[in-house]
Structure formats: structure tokens, C-alpha cells
Amino acid sequence: MCRVHKFPMCRPFTGPNMATCKETESVMMGAGKDDDEPPTKKTKTDDDNIGDDCTGVDLEDKAANNGVPSSEILPRKETDENESAGDEPARKKRKNEEKSSETGEQKTVDGVTPHDSGPIPVKVDETAENSVSTDEKLEVESTDKTKEKLEKPDSKTSGGKDRNSQPQQQYSGPLTETEAGITEYMSDHSGFSAIIKQRYSDFIVNEIDQDGQIIHLTDMSPPVDDDDAETSEQKKTPGSDVISAEDWTKLEQLVASDDRKATVNIPAPADKEQRTKVHLAVKVTFPQLETKTIEEDDGKFIQAFWKKGKGRDGGRDDWPASKKACRYVRFVLYKENKDTMDAIGLMAKNLRVKENLFQYAGTKDKRAKTSQEVTALKIHPKKLLTLNKVLWNFGVGNCRYVKEPLKLGQLNGNHFTIVLRNVQGDPEVVEKALKCLESEGFVNYFGMQRFGTTSVPTHHVGRALLSADWDKAVDLILMPRNDHSSKDSFQTVWAESRDPEQTLNATPPYCGLERNLLQGLKNKLPPLNALEKISRNTRLLYVHSYQAYVWNSMVSRRLRELGRAPVKGDLVMPSAGADGGGEQGEKPSPVVLTEENLAQYSLRDVVLPLPGHSIVYPDNHVRDWYRLMLQEDGLDIDKMERPQKDYSLPGAYRHLVVYPTDVSWTHRLYDDYTTPLTLSDLDRVKKTELPASDTGKVKAVVLEMSLPSSTYATMALREVMRVDTSARHQTALNVT
């Protein structure tokens, strides 16, 4: 609890005194994993987008399903360097616009900061007591890697019972790591103390394409068309000789303001040819605007105004004749403090086109600086590059024409550059921990992001859905969580009345998931059909979360009881046969280890299945553990097919251990925590230089590593520093 503002530390105060609240500057966060999973076919969410929906659903799965973008990149303007980049709420009708600080504050869908919005300060000292300091760090007690407690399943209620007769199950708070099945480590070092993501600029993610190349934004100029016969004079900014700098500024402000009724009047030249240049310059530079010539008392003007209607501007007619065989532009998207789909929504909004004209291989962290490739269907590169003028802390570049669009999952992973600040620990211990990460890897757990951030874990809902207990699933989604006053009201109404109409009237408009469900119940739909009013991707997220919970529990028990070497009956996947994630999708066939082939494989080849109807289980004790765990949850391991296709999961395989590649680290010194210690792609394009850090009292480590898709950087950092990354554990450390 923040002693200054009386808010929980995991949800930092967002009022005007934020800059002076030293406690909220050291807010807890979940460090991220790479955002690569296709939301429609895969089950993971990437890096730090943890529970931005009212029900704790991961952001990208939510946003892909009629969710409201959590914030918008703002127009360019001069600002304090610690202001967040582009964190204006998408719902502009709400009264309180907020700007986030790089020290931890950020706006979410419902006005609540998610648990991952601040740094994870940790100290691994098994003899130290948990304490809270005011110098922007917290000391965290080391977690016991030998804990064996696993979460006990809820008692299953009958799907035939009336909802009014079902008791509300009470939850004490978000899951701990142990309750999510996360208990083991690969190495035996003691860890060290550091602050992760004290600023979002301390977390940089670059996509790795299918050729193994790390994607960087390096060039923000348009590509040269083969049929481009413009002279050097024509290649200057269109209209720069006929439109004044003052009028250009007014046009940029018009586009940035998003005021559809505003106009800009540009003095019309007397010469018709010059007026044509003005019209053309505005059209090319600002495709979302239209122009017309008007006459007023004080003379003739060319008036610029927003295009009417929601359709695109017919941008196909300016497509280069020499590129007719290429229907797409492939470009690098750079963004800061912005979810991938929110960024694409902003691009579509400013270009006045539909979002489905853009394609990408995977989503990236929100609270980070990220670079990834995107394709756009017949949107001219020059139009794309106009976004660089109107969107803040945002970049588009490295454009080229291609024949095919990107598809979800077409990537090899992500490269991370992570700044660990305020490092405290013996230098030998720090070095050992980092070397162990490279040599021994980390357990490939599904991170805490997968299970949401509220007191009702997403896998509990998934278990109810797989059990066909529709009434319980409804109650779990709508039950009180006591985590935010704006949601407590309608959740309490539901708990007390079970009246969908009364609850719907009390539900805020930004809780779209709950409103869709309640609307179905209000229309007298059975619970099963009412649940289908929730987007398919979100419902899949729930059941995939249950798969993740089972997998985490099984891998912990496998490592604890059978050791860290392959054993007879294990399943192995040759290195070329599967990636590190093993998510839903086309699955290669695993090999069962026997006495004859046991020596041919190592632990890096061993996989465990995510429960489903089209996978095989290990031919040893692990299969019995799966059967017992599912049986305790009311499920039959041999009967995983369902009449409802969405809940009939085929299953998949996931490697036990991940070994990062391209691992390197440097030690830095600094005094001011706002001092940048690494450069982003946009910094390099602008030729920004790092300040000298040869002197200073505070130590930092800049860690770089590449991870395959569907793995969690959070779990890699957990292995290095020995820290419980759960929201409940971090919040408890702040109660005074």
C-alpha cells in the first residue's frame, strides 16, 4: 500500500502528485515475454501485456476481439523526457486524460494500471526480511525453489444447478508462482538484486524474422520506384514552395487534433497551376484530408478538411505501375509504450483505412520500445511515412514492395535488450547468474501473464468451460474481485441479484467483455450461448490458460521427481521439429525414449504435452500425473474432445527448457535513474548518443539475449535473479 496515496503499489496512483510519490516510482511489474503468439490460433500472450481487460485477460487476446485500445500515441509535441510516449486513452469521452511516467505509470483499458506497469525490484537474500525503501527500490526475499505446493482445484459445481443457488467462491488475490505451478530452477546460484523496467525504455524488443535476421528500423525514407521519373526539384516536399511553414504546422495540428469539424484555410495563389500544387501537396502529404477552393470576404482560400465517410481514399490509384505484381508494402514498425494492435489501429485511423489491411507476425510488448515487420495491402509507402509526422514516439521505415503478406507466427523469436538497474550483489554472483542463464537455460514456464492479474485466475474459467459447467464459468467472469472500485459495483450487483439486466445497467461501457455476456443473459440465452457472445479468441484464452496451468504443474513435478536428465519414456522432439513454444497448431510427432535411444538426446530435446485429444503422453510416471491432475479437476484425459468445437483442443508439445542465444551483457554505472543506458532504433536513426557512464555510484547490467517465439523473458529473468514474479507476492511486499 502506497503510504502517500493509499493505493496498492501494484496499481500506481495516477493523479497530479505522481512525480513526487517515491513509493509509486518503484511499482511492481511483470517483466515480459516475447509477443509472438497469433491470437486466433495460439494461446500465449507476449511480454508484459498482462490483464488489461476487466477480467484479467491478456491484452493482445482482448484487443483482437472487440477490445478497446488502452491508449493512443499522441501527436508530436515537446515534452518532458520522463513523460510516457503516446499514452492518451482511446476512449476520449472519459474525463480524466492521463500521461504515464517512464518510472512506472501507464493507462489501461479501464483506467487501472496493470500489475506489470512498473519495475520488479528484487533482492535475493534468504536471511533478509522484506522491506520497503523510498530510494526507488524494494528488497525482495528470495523464493524457495524447492516449494512443492501446487494449487488445489476448485470443487466442481454442477452445470445443471441454477446460478442463484451457487455459492460465490472467494479469492484472496492474484496467483502466486507456486499456485501457477512455477517452482523449479535450472541452476543453483543465489541470484542478485536489481530493478527491472524502471523505465519502459529499459526494455527493447526486436523481432527476429524467419531468416534469423534481427529486425531494426534504420531508414525512414520512401523506396525508389522504378518508374519514378521525378526530378530532384520535384522530389522536394510537395508544395514546400507554395505552402508556408505556418500553414504546414496548421495542417499537422489539424490531423493530430482528430477534430473532424475543424478546417484550415490556406491563402490561394492567384495562379491556377500554383493552386493545383497546393491541392496535390495536401493530398499526398495528408491522405486523410480533402481540399477545396472557397471564396470569403477577405479573399480566396484553399480549405483543408477531414474526409467524410469511413472508407479508404482509394489509394490504389497511386500504386506504381512497375509494382503491379507486388500488392503489399513490407515495412518496419517502431513503437513505444504501445501494444501492436493499438499501434495498427492508430495507423489505420490516421490513414483512414481499415485495420485488416495490415498484417503482422506477432504482437510485441506494450511497455517497451519495439521493432517488428508489418505488411500493408496497397498503401503507398509515401502515405505510410506521413505517419512519422503526426504520431509521437513512433516510426515507420525500411519500406519495400512484396508479393505476399505476413502471417501470424512467421518469425523465429525476439531479441531483447534489458536494463537491470540498481544491481546489488557480489560481482562474482552476478557473473555466475548470467553465465548460468546462457549455459544451463531456464525452465520454459508459461509466465504469470498467462493467468491474468485479478483474484480470479483465467485458468479457473478455462477449467469450468472444459468441464461444460457454463453457470460456473459465467459466475467466475462476473464475480466480485475487490480490485477496483469502478468494477466492484456491477460485480457486487451480480453477486447479490444474479439479475443480468440490473447488472448490465451498472456495468461501465469499457468493460465490453462483461457487457457482451450480460447482454446475452438479458436476452434469455442459455449460459452456453451467452458465453458465445464473448469473442472466440478470449474464450480460447481461458481454456489455453488451463492447459498452461497443467503444463507448468507437470514440468515442475517432472524436474523435481525425475531430475534434469532424460529418462526412459520421456517424449523428445528433434531440434528441427518444433520451436521453443510448442503452441497450438500443426504438430510434429514426438519420439518416445527407450533404453536404445536414451543416450542420443539431452534435456533440451525433452517436451511435455499440453492436454488435448490429438497428442500422446510420456510413457512413464508423468502420464499418470497428468491423468490424476485432470481427474481431480473433473476431466478425463482420454475424452478431451467436446461437442463445442472451440473447447475441443487438439493439444500441443512444449520444450521443458529454453537456452537463450546471442547472450551478452555489459556493466554500467550511473547516478540518475533517468539516464538512458541503451539506445533504441529510433535513437540511432536520429543519431542520438548515449551519455558517458564511466562514473557513478549505482550499478546496472545491460543484458541482451534472443529467445524463440512463445517463450517468456519474465521466466529468464526469474532464473537469473531468483524472484517470484507474481503480482500477489510483489503486492504483499508493499503493505506497511
Side-chain angles (χ1 to χ4, degrees), residues 175-369:
L175 260 63
T176 63
E177 282 190 348
T178 300
E179 292 169 332
I182 301 172
T183 62
E184 303 304 303
Y185 295 93
M186 289 304 298
S187 52
D188 58 0
H189 61 81
S190 59
F192 59 90
S193 167
I195 299 178
I196 305 169
K197 257 192 186 179
Q198 188 165 17
R199 314 175 75 211
Y200 72 79
S201 56
D202 288 343
F203 205 86
I204 298 175
V205 185
N206 293 84
E207 188 172 85
I208 302 174
D209 66 17
Q210 289 187 306
D211 295 326
Q213 300 298 313
I214 299 176
I215 301 301
H216 288 284
L217 177 68
T218 59
D219 183 7
M220 300 177 72
S221 61
V224 177
D225 301 334
D226 294 340
D227 55 349
D228 191 348
E230 293 179 322
T231 65
S232 59
E233 197 64 31
Q234 290 174 317
K235 291 180 181 179
K236 292 181 179 179
T237 302
S240 60
D241 55 338
V242 292
I243 300 179
S244 67
E246 180 181 359
D247 288 331
W248 274 120
T249 301
K250 290 180 181 179
L251 290 170
E252 291 176 353
Q253 291 174 345
L254 172 62
V255 174
S257 70
D258 203 25
D259 183 355
R260 294 299 193 269
K261 296 182 179 180
T263 61
V264 170
N265 289 343
I266 303 170
D271 182 69
K272 182 177 180 180
E273 183 178 344
Q274 295 295 93
R275 291 198 300 272
T276 301
K277 283 187 177 182
V278 175
H279 286 288
L280 181 61
V282 175
K283 177 182 178 181
V284 171
T285 308
F286 304 102
Q288 57 271 71
L289 300 180
E290 288 182 313
T291 57
K292 65 180 179 180
T293 303
I294 62 172
E295 289 190 14
E296 296 188 354
D297 294 340
D298 51 348
K300 184 178 289 188
F301 295 88
I302 295 176
Q303 187 176 81
F305 54 94
W306 280 93
K307 286 185 177 180
K308 296 181 180 180
K310 298 182 178 179
R312 63 183 300 178
D313 67 341
R316 301 169 188 266
D317 57 2
D318 62 354
W319 197 252
S322 63
K323 303 297 182 183
K324 293 300 183 183
C326 300
R327 302 177 65 240
Y328 297 88
V329 173
R330 188 162 177 167
F331 61 94
V332 174
L333 167 64
Y334 170 90
K335 61 182 182 61
E336 296 184 14
N337 209 22
K338 176 63 52 182
D339 175 74
T340 297
M341 284 177 287
D342 288 349
I344 286 177
L346 280 174
M347 289 194 294
K349 178 180 179 181
N350 280 274
L351 295 174
R352 306 287 287 169
V353 299
K354 295 181 179 180
E355 293 184 19
N356 62 9
L357 295 180
F358 297 93
Q359 306 82 32
Y360 53 90
T363 58
K364 297 290 174 283
D365 294 80
K366 176 179 179 178
R367 194 167 182 270
K369 295 182 175 183

Side-chain angles (χ1 to χ4, degrees), residues 394-497:
F394 180 96
V396 169
N398 296 87
C399 300
R400 66 185 191 276
Y401 296 97
V402 296
K403 295 181 179 180
E404 299 294 333
L406 282 171
K407 295 181 180 179
L408 293 168
Q410 287 185 334
L411 75 169
N412 279 350
N414 292 287
H415 184 80
F416 294 88
T417 304
I418 303 171
V419 178
L420 306 177
R421 292 183 182 266
N422 202 4
V423 173
Q424 297 183 5
D426 187 84
E428 288 76 16
V429 174
V430 174
E431 283 294 309
K432 180 180 179 181
L434 294 169
K435 289 178 180 178
C436 285
L437 175 65
E438 182 177 21
S439 62
E440 300 183 34
F442 62 95
V443 185
N444 194 19
Y445 286 120
F446 290 94
M448 298 303 296
Q449 300 96 309
R450 176 57 69 92
F451 307 103
T453 57
T454 73
S455 57
V456 181
T458 53
H459 75 277
H460 287 190
V461 181
R463 181 166 52 208
L465 293 174
L466 290 174
S467 301
D469 195 343
W470 318 120
D471 290 316
K472 184 175 182 181
V474 168
D475 275 339
L476 287 171
I477 293 172
L478 297 176
M479 72 178 295
R481 288 160 168 74
N482 300 318
D483 59 349
H484 194 257
S485 58
S486 67
K487 297 180 291 181
D488 289 344
S489 56
F490 81 85
Q491 292 166 344
T492 302
V493 170
W494 174 259
E496 294 175 350
S497 68

Side-chain angles (χ1 to χ4, degrees), residues 708-719:
S709 59
S710 302
T711 56
Y712 289 69
T714 314
M715 296 294 100
L717 297 173
R718 169 186 178 269
E719 181 76 32

